[in-house]
Every structure is written in C-alpha cells, then in structure tokens.
Amino acid sequence: MVNIRQTYKLVVGLGACGLSMARFLKSRGHGVAATDIDGTKTSEAAALKKLGIPVMIGSHDQKMFDKASVIIPSPGIPLNMPYIRSAREKGVPVKGELDIFAQYNTTPVIAITATNGKTTTTELTTAMLEASGISCFMGGNIGTPLVEYLMQDSPRDVVVAEISSFQLDLAQTFRPHTAALLNIAEDHLDRYIDFHAYADSKWSIFKNMTAGDTAVINGRIKDFSTRTKNVCADILAFSSTNPVTRGANIHKTGIDIRTQDTSDTLAADTPAGLPGIHNRENAAAAALAALSCGGTMEGIRHALNEFTLSDHRIAFVREIDGIRFYNDSKATNVAAVLCALESVESGVILILGGKEKGLDFAPLLPEVKARAKAVIGMGEAAGHIIETFDGICPAYACRDMIGAVNSAVSLADKGDVVLLSPACASFDLYTNYRERGKDFARIVNALVSEQEVCHG
C-alpha cells in the first residue's frame, strides 16, 4: 500500500474526471489519494505526485480503499467493483462527483441527460444562452469535468452540464435549476440489471428538484404520465407526436413554444444543420431549457441558424464517385442508429459493430429492411450482427475499419450512402468513439476516385 499518513479521500480512476477531482479536492485543503488499475497512467500519476497526492497505478490495494474517509469513483468505474464493494461493507462511504460539485457550486445549473442527443442539446443550449448575452460554462459528460468550473477565477451566469446515468447513480444531493430528459432507449445493459434500472437512473435527475425548478421532458418517453407524477419541478414537455399544453409542440411547419412568458414559433427550416425529427426534439428541449434561464427567442433563433453537428454525429465526410460517406461514430446504441437511418435516404451501406454490451439489434430490422442495401458487421460484435441481419439484406463481416470501408465501397453505387453508425462501444478496437470516427474519416479521405485513377 502507498504510505499515507493522513485522513484522505480516495479518487478511483485517473481519467479526466479523476484527475480534475483529485486536483480540486487538494486545492480545497483535503487529504487526497488516487489509484488506477491501468499501469500506463504514468504521466497522470506523476502530475498528481507533484501536488503531493499519493498515487498507486497498475494495481489496487484493498487497504487503500478500506482506510479512506470516502471513496470517489470516476463515472466509468463500476460500483460493483470488488474493492469498492468490500470497502462499502466495512462502512466506507462512496460519493459521486455531482454531489461534490453541488456542495461547492453556487451557479444555476442546467443538467441534460438522455440515451441519445445529450451532447447536441448541451451544445445547443449553451449556444442559445450565449447568443442571448448569458455567459456559460459547458461541462460534465461532454468532456470538461464540472469541478474544473470550481477552480476557475471567472464565474459564469449558468453552468450547462451533460449528465450520464453513471454520474446520476451516485447523486444524492445534486439539484439542478433546470433538468432535461430527452429520451430513454436500451443501452448499458452490461452495467444495469435491466432496462427498468437504467430508466430509474435517468429519471433520478429530477428527484431533488422543487416547484421553483424546471423539468424539460420528452412527452414521448414511455411511462411519461406515470413518472412525471413524482416530479416536483415545473414541467415543460416537448413532443413530436403527443400535443402538450405547456412546452413545445413539434410539427411539419415548425416548433411551437408555449411557456408562461413565451408564445412563439420556430420555423420548420430553422435548425438547418440538424437533420431528422430527433434533432428537432433536441432543438425544442434546448430552447425550453435556455428560456428557463433567461434566454431569448432572438438568441435561440441565432444559435439554431449557426449550429452545426459535431464531427462524429451524422457528419458528412466526403462524396466520391457519387457515393456519400457519413461518420456517425457517436451512435453507440441501437436507438441512435435508428435516428441516423431516419435521417438518410435508401441505398444505405450500414457499418455496424464494435464491443458487445448486451444490446439487441432486432429493433433495427424494419429500418434496415426499408433503407439498407447491405450491412457490414465489424469487430467483436460482427458475428452477432451477421446472425441478426442474415436474410433481411446482404450482411458481411469484417475484422477492422479498413476492411469495412473497402467492403462498403465495393457494394455501393452512385447515389448510395455509406453510413458508419456502429450501435456499439468502440473499446474492442479504439480508445473511444472519436478515434473510431477519425479512423473512418481518414480511410475514406484516402480513397481514390475513378476520375483520379483515369488521370493518374
């Protein structure tokens, strides 16, 4: 065990969240120690040791867990990890980053959670507020840990936070001023005992809110009417199917916004850079969240007119010989792939696959049958994919990305779309979905067109 001579809070995991948490706690005068099973985290360990923080990497020591005053796991660390479970049984409390952030934060928070669309809606909400003259800190699951805000010298008007279910699982006191729940679809069933448990985690974002707070909720979510009975905040619903009286109705001619202070309509073509009905729902949710914290309709319209999707969400890469290539690497579950398929025409060569995480690909069958010319299964999940789609459309297995792209090109004709929308995590072949998307784009951009060959 690392020699520690003081009472300490133990940070588990030295990713971005863990590093920021350790630095923050140290800056507030707490005794801190850190541990990570990954022995390659040498630079991270060195940085913390320079701050006087004892660190263990490459292995864990149960005594280090048992003697901590509190254990603070990074969101990606399973709570049933044996070292954590054993320490909890001995009475060591476990605390999440959201509660630590809430303990010190005094700035209003907009918290956004969902299975899909969190990042887009977080970025949109931030853009809408800033276009309305309201300064924002954007962080959370989107990339910048929330405690980084607490270490800044320049306060902002609003914190806009993307929140994952993993973060919510340990949240006991976290209470946002506004919380948005965009959708819930099957995901992370390798971590939760069933879908109901996963849904419980998502809905828990509202549990500490009161009548003075605002809950923005998709009216299409299953059990909406039942679940919302337990939400104490003022509810603004949005829906593209079920009419709502307060919130946002999404239809073919636009998005009608109806709140206590606002009655306005966003034109149907306003979110030009946001294809698909799911993105119009994201735009509606972002607008309601922004309005709840002082945003203006003028700022909302300006942000929508200027907004473009991130690099890995149905992002156009290139057209070559009439074949268009789209990078949707961020689609790490089946529901996200359905949204992507609904956003493109027929004649799709769909590249699926990656790390297995207990998902059922069957919900894709109707859209694949209607829109796809072929499915290419890649990586660890390739066998499962071929088994699912065999007989629905031509299905092929590939070991890696270059094989998948080359196969897609051989199958595609002019006017077709090659869509990387994996429905799986990336960790079998890549460190994250961004690296997977970059590799896809790199391979696509290295392709040589027939015209280039003729003039070569």
Side-chain angles (χ1 to χ4, degrees), residues 58-100:
S59 63
H60 290 313
D61 188 314
Q62 187 64 58
K63 292 180 181 178
M64 197 173 184
F65 286 76
D66 294 346
K67 293 184 177 181
S69 62
V70 63
I71 296 170
I72 305 164
S74 296
I77 304 296
L79 300 182
N80 63 355
M81 173 190 188
Y83 296 92
I84 295 176
R85 187 173 64 241
S86 179
R88 283 180 119 170
E89 290 171 354
K90 296 179 177 72
V92 181
V94 178
K95 199 168 186 178
E97 61 172 333
L98 291 181
D99 284 356
I100 293 173

Side-chain angles (χ1 to χ4, degrees), residues 49 57 84 176 184 186 195 200 273 389:
K49 287 177 180 177
I57 61 171
I84 295 176
I184 308 176
E186 187 178 279
F195 176 74
D200 285 346
F389 295 100

Side-chain angles (χ1 to χ4, degrees), residues 257-385:
I257 305 289
R258 301 290 183 268
T259 69
Q260 182 175 341
D261 302 314
T262 303
S263 180
D264 209 332
T265 298
L266 296 169
D269 60 351
T270 299
L274 297 167
I277 190 66
H278 62 288
N279 274 320
R280 295 176 73 185
E281 290 183 341
N282 294 340
L288 294 173
L291 288 169
S292 76
C293 285
T296 65
M297 291 304 297
E298 182 182 1
I300 288 167
R301 286 191 173 89
H302 177 81
L304 285 171
N305 287 330
E306 298 294 322
F307 190 80
T308 57
L309 285 168
S310 62
D311 289 343
H312 306 287
R313 198 69 184 97
I314 322 180
F316 177 70
V317 177
R318 182 187 181 192
E319 181 172 333
I320 178 170
D321 297 330
I323 303 167
R324 285 165 294 148
F325 294 82
Y326 287 87
N327 169 17
D328 193 36
S329 182
K330 200 173 188 297
T332 57
N333 55 65
V334 168
V337 179
L338 282 171
C339 291
L341 286 171
E342 290 169 357
S343 302
V344 297
E345 305 86 351
S346 57
V348 177
I349 314 299
L350 176 62
I351 301 175
L352 292 168
K355 183 175 177 58
E356 283 273 22
K357 54 177 178 175
L359 296 182
D360 180 10
F361 295 109
L364 291 173
L365 291 173
E367 286 296 326
V368 166
K369 187 174 183 179
R371 298 174 187 265
K373 279 181 68 173
V375 167
I376 297 172
M378 179 182 70
E380 186 180 294
H384 184 187
I385 291 163

Side-chain angles (χ1 to χ4, degrees), residues 393-405:
C393 70
Y396 306 89
C398 289
R399 180 180 299 177
D400 53 22
M401 185 67 75
I402 192 165
V405 172

